[in-house]
């Protein structure tokens, strides 16, 4: 019996985390980082308890806390790790289009990272971030969507 209770508890814990992540993301992106702070703190406590210290959601948690420097640091580490992992997998597969979804997810990460740099008043870093995103998209033949292209152009790199 106790094994079943543990399994149910684990599922309930997973559902709680998933719902909290969803609520936090919705509030963060729809209302703003400051409004999402109470949810950020609750989510941070839960993730810390579970030992999930490298999750990309920490970028948004630190941003909600007003610590863009930490958000940028975690975002950069996440991007670097994902790019390295993608390159490793791509070296074993001849069809680059197999990674389209992974590249699209990475492009989103680059976009949010560039926006963080802009919020910190570091347009050069934002520009470099979007140039990296452009290079990655070109390498894997994934076009920028309108949002990415808009920021890319806004930063003056549209001629690359």
């Amino acid at each position: 019996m106790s094994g079943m209770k543990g399994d149910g508890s684990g599922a309930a814990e997973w559902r709680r985390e998933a719902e909290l992540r969803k609520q936090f993301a919705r509030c963060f992106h729809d209302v703003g980082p400051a409004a999402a702070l109470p949810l950020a703190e609750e989510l941070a406590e839960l993730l810390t308890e579970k030992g999930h210290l490298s999750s990309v959601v920490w970028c948004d948690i630190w941003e909600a806390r007003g610590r863009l420097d930490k958000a940028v640091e975690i975002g950069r580490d996440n991007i670097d790790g994902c790019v390295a992992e993608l390159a490793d997998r791509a070296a074993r597969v001849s069809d680059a289009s197999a990674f389209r979804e992974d590249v699209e997810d990475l492009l989103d990460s680059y976009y949010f990272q560039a926006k963080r740099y802009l919020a910190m008043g570091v347009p050069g870093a934002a520009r470099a971030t979007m140039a990296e995103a452009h290079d990655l998209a070109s390498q894997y033949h994934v076009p920028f969507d309108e949002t990415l292209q808009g920021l890319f152009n806004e930063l003056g790199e549209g001629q690359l």
Side-chain angles (χ1 to χ4, degrees):
M1 284 277 185
S2 65
M4 291 180 75
K5 182 180 180 197
D7 292 345
S9 175
E13 182 90 8
W14 181 86
R15 281 192 300 275
R16 177 176 169 249
E17 179 183 339
E19 183 58 30
L20 187 55
R21 281 178 183 252
K22 191 163 66 174
Q23 289 174 355
F24 171 65
R26 192 176 317 125
C27 185
F28 183 89
H29 294 290
D30 293 347
V31 182
L37 184 57
L39 290 169
E41 294 302 342
E42 187 177 349
L43 184 57
E45 183 178 330
L46 178 65
L47 293 173
T48 301
E49 285 172 10
K50 295 175 83 176
H52 296 172
L53 302 178
S54 63
S55 174
V56 72
V57 75
W58 281 98
C59 290
D60 292 341
I61 290 171
W62 283 110
E63 190 170 342
R65 289 174 168 171
R67 291 288 311 273
L68 285 173
D69 58 323
K70 289 290 289 180
V72 162
E73 177 185 333
I74 292 168
R76 184 78 253 170
D77 289 347
N78 178 64
I79 288 171
D80 291 345
C82 289
V83 168
E85 181 184 319
L86 181 63
D88 182 53
R89 289 184 8 234
R92 293 178 268 139
V93 177
S94 61
D95 182 15
S97 68
F99 303 106
R100 182 180 184 94
E101 194 172 308
D102 296 318
V103 172
E104 288 172 346
D105 288 346
L106 257 170
L107 293 176
D108 288 344
S109 294
Y110 276 111
Y111 174 82
F112 289 117
Q113 187 74 351
K115 294 296 269 186
R116 285 185 201 100
Y117 280 127
L118 288 174
M120 289 176 65
V122 190
R127 201 172 294 113
T129 298
M130 290 307 293
E132 286 177 34
H134 185 271
D135 292 345
L136 181 79
S138 296
Q139 179 181 353
Y140 290 94
H141 310 290
V142 175
F144 270 14
D145 65 20
E146 286 181 28
T147 304
L148 287 164
Q149 191 63 51
L151 181 58
F152 189 68
N153 292 342
E154 177 186 323
L155 291 169
E157 294 294 336
Q159 300 305 313
L160 284 181

